Amino acid sequence: MANAFPSFLLLIFFSNIIFENTHACNHKERSSLLFLALTLSSPHLNWTSTDCCNWEGITCNHGGWITHLQLPSKGLKLKEGIFPSSSLGNLTHLTHLNLSHNSLYGSLDQTELLLSLNDLEILDLSYNLLFGVLPSSPPSCHIRMVDLSSNRLHGVVPSSFFQQAWNLTSFNVSNNTFSGPFPSSICRPSSSLQHLDFSFNNFTGSISSGLGKCSKLQVFRAGNNFLSGSLPEDMFNSTTLEEISLPLNSLYGAVSDRISNLTNLTTLDLSYNQLSGVLPLHLGKLSKLKHILLDSNYLEGSFPLSLMNSTNLVELRLGSNNLEGDISMLNFSRLGQLGKLDMRKNNFSGILPISLYSCKSLKAIRLNYNNLEVQIHPEILSLKYLSFLSLGWNKLLTNVTGVMKILLGCKRLVVLSLASSFLGEEMPNGVEMADFNGFQNLRLLDLSSCNLSGIIPSWLSKLKKLQVLDLSHNRITGSIPNWLGTLPRLQTLVMEFNQLSGEFPKELCTLPMLVSGQTAAQVGRQYLELPFYFRPSADAKPLQYNYIFYEPAIHLSHNCLGGNIPIEIDQLQLLRWLDLSANNFSGNIPDQISNLKYIEILDLSMNHLSGKIPASFTDLNFLSSFNVSYNNLGGPIPSGTQLQSFNASAFEGNLKLCGAPLPNKCQTTTKGADAPDMSTQDADTKEQQIPWFYVSVTLGFITGFWGVCGPLLLMRKWRHAYYNFLDNVQDRFHVMIAKRMASIKRRFV
Ligand SMILES: *[C@@H]1O[C@H](CO)[C@@H](O)[C@H](O)[C@H]1NC(C)=O
Ligand SMILES: *[C@@H]1O[C@H](CO)[C@@H](O)[C@H](O)[C@H]1NC(C)=O
Ligand SMILES: *[C@@H]1O[C@H](CO)[C@@H](O)[C@H](O)[C@H]1NC(C)=O
Ligand SMILES: *[C@@H]1O[C@H](CO)[C@@H](O)[C@H](O)[C@H]1NC(C)=O
Ligand SMILES: *[C@@H]1O[C@H](CO)[C@@H](O)[C@H](O)[C@H]1NC(C)=O
Ligand SMILES: *[C@@H]1O[C@H](CO)[C@@H](O)[C@H](O)[C@H]1NC(C)=O
Ligand SMILES: *[C@@H]1O[C@H](CO)[C@@H](O)[C@H](O)[C@H]1NC(C)=O
Ligand SMILES: *[C@@H]1O[C@H](CO)[C@@H](O)[C@H](O)[C@H]1NC(C)=O
Ligand SMILES: *[C@@H]1O[C@H](CO)[C@@H](O)[C@H](O)[C@H]1NC(C)=O
Ligand SMILES: *[C@@H]1O[C@H](CO)[C@@H](O)[C@H](O)[C@H]1NC(C)=O
Ligand SMILES: *[C@@H]1O[C@H](CO)[C@@H](O)[C@H](O)[C@H]1NC(C)=O
Ligand SMILES: *[C@@H]1O[C@H](CO)[C@@H](O)[C@H](O)[C@H]1NC(C)=O
């Protein structure tokens, strides 16, 4: 025991020496880290023990120098909103810096931060709030990977950055606001670059980057910019390329046949450009191709037969081009992996080949707007994953009953669009549909423009997930069934241009998705296998939507509906568009309509409505389009309201209606002794409460229908994301949304 004590001490002594020599971080490094920790407001890092090499996120080399600082997704925030350049910059042996997915807010312009890290190899500051410009040279000549994506950096990306980065393999600046020309020489001879991502920025000009010299390039992304010019010819010399993604630019010219040199290509995304010419004949030689996205260009000519040999194809999207040819020539039987086929809006003709049904992985087929002779065979049931089927606006598809009966077996269908088919048949409603347990996942059903007769079929009442029902432009008779109001998810009802009679059922005023925001919020968004696109304006980029828009609307115009508009209508709190025009509705316009506080478009024209326009319409702040023309309305148009900002045509055809914007003045006989007082006072209070209101009305007078409503614009700022121009006609539902957005934009922008 006597000897044990000293030897124990000895052990501690030695272990301390070993500790000092191999791990203990040097003092300067420790104080730099502590300084860094001090600049952070959150979270509190548990950097307390003596040896900083053991701290969370820290790795040292044998000399006790810090080489790795890795604190991704730690919720890091800076106290002063200043990036701690002096503390980080002192960690001169750092090779790996990963602070991605934090909330670091600061300017990258404090370049000493990066420039003093002369050993840095990996730099990942992605998903932060960094702004400023990129330095003209990399932090170190050893840099291998730069990820600055998803920040707010701007300015140009200088070519010089790449010139000193000998070993750079990956460079990602996507999702910032970089602008200016594309760096002119990215690839130096024997460049080791493999991944380049410039997407989601504001780069302009053409891509003249010497990409051909990047002899190891695998991924090249520069989509969602403002790039123009033709595809860089030398890109086709980079035979190592596996992905080319340049969608949503303004690239023009043809896709060179030389693309078939890129034998390792798996993804080719050139959608939403202005490419023309024919598709490369030998595209199908690229046996590894999985994703071909060439939608929305000006491509012409025929479908390259070679593609039918691309056995690895997962996604083939050629929609919205000028392609043509007989599709019945195509043999899809080798495309066992094909999941998405989109050839909408082309000039394809011929019979849809039955071999398509052998593509067992198909989830989505969109072939609408062609000249195809579509037939639905029972074999379609072998497509077990089919969830998106859009075949409308082709040559006659017949036997609606037979077709629906077959499709009932497609258990996963979410979108079914067969518009402009079956012309003149009867709505399936018989025993065929009686024993019914299909369509349990259906969210959008479009049977519009089919000229179908019969009544609204009761089997629809079983579609518990239906959100959008479009039966417009048919010859449907009978009344609107009460059960329609019980469909738990119905949010868009389009029944215009039919021969419906009877009343507007009170029960329709209980549609859960239009009544309660809570219900609406609970209904999750279903991912759609093929997206829809909207353009914010004619010259803006389309935005992609992979879900069904929440479009609370009831369209019943051009029917034979009559009776009063039910006062219960005010339950439809979330309604944005109500169109009851061209029916036989009579009685007063219910006051209660002014409780529809989100209503944007209200069309009651061409009915037999009488009485006054309710003064409470003042409350309809979001109204952007309004029409009560050709009724029997009378009395003054409520003045001092935004109703004055609409065109006189919105009120015409009502003989007894008077006041602005109609030219006929109201006779002053109604003005009693106290009435004028009341109204002025009323107007005054309103002005004080909401001063903008006066402004908007005044401007409304000056600019008429195109009135400017600044404050409303503010209220609707989030609506900036709303798009007034449909990228290309896809179906009535989306045209409708586009129209409403156009109407809003006209009024608020
Ligand atoms: C960084 O290094 C400089 C010069 O060596 C020194 O003056 C400064 O105090 C150091 N900063 C920190 C936070 O250690
Ligand atoms: C801080 O880290 C030390 C060891 O590094 C550990 O013993 C201690 O429990 C940690 N404290 C907290 C609050 O996590
Ligand atoms: C940074 O850390 C995140 C999260 O662990 C990781 O996904 C990412 O790959 C890292 N970055 C680099 C360049 O290694
Ligand atoms: C580049 O990488 C190679 C191989 O890993 C290495 O030998 C060379 O030193 C590196 N060059 C620089 C400047 O880091
Ligand atoms: C670049 O970063 C973004 C995230 O900001 C990521 O989605 C993308 O895949 C990255 N690009 C490459 C080529 O890795
Ligand atoms: C772009 O960056 C923003 C903000 O950092 C982020 O919310 C968004 O998800 C990023 N988008 C992509 C496509 O990575
Ligand atoms: C980038 O382009 C968008 C769309 O045109 C524009 O709104 C934005 O101001 C531009 N940003 C910069 C930094 O140029
Ligand atoms: C592409 O490679 C060919 C030879 O393979 C060469 O003749 C041509 O100059 C290269 N093109 C460019 C633009 O580098
Ligand atoms: C294509 O990919 C394979 C496997 O990844 C690789 O061995 C081959 O070198 C690549 N070809 C070219 C031209 O890069
Ligand atoms: C590339 O394709 C062109 C034309 O298709 C051909 O003449 C050339 O030999 C090919 N180059 C390589 C390297 O395969
Ligand atoms: C498809 O491949 C087969 C054999 O693999 C070949 O005979 C045929 O010519 C190819 N078809 C096209 C159009 O390239
Ligand atoms: C319609 O289709 C059903 C089922 O496929 C079939 O039984 C019926 O004969 C067809 N009717 C017509 C008129 O072709």
Side-chain angles (χ1 to χ4, degrees), residues 512-539:
M513 283 286 277
L514 301 186
V515 166
S516 148
Q518 239 172 349
T519 311
Q522 272 162 12
V523 173
R525 283 175 174 176
Q526 163 90 33
Y527 172 83
L528 299 181
E529 295 295 341
L530 286 171
F532 297 102
Y533 291 91
F534 288 101
R535 273 183 208 268
S537 63
D539 54 348

Side-chain angles (χ1 to χ4, degrees), residues 236-237 239 256-263 282 285:
F236 302 116
N237 276 16
T239 51
S256 164
D257 266 333
R258 293 185 62 218
I259 199 166
S260 47
N261 284 358
L262 306 181
T263 50
H282 302 297
K285 271 194 186 162

Side-chain angles (χ1 to χ4, degrees), residues 138 140-143 159-169 183-194 196 209-217 234 238:
S140 101
C141 60
H142 306 293
I143 198 82
S159 287
S160 55
F161 192 94
F162 298 95
Q163 295 312 303
Q164 291 156 44
W166 297 87
N167 281 354
L168 192 63
T169 59
S184 61
S185 56
I186 291 170
C187 305
R188 37 182 308 137
S190 73
S191 158
S192 43
L193 264 174
Q194 293 175 3
L196 271 179
S209 51
L211 286 177
K213 282 191 231 138
C214 281
S215 56
K216 292 180 180 152
L217 193 61
D234 67 343
S238 299

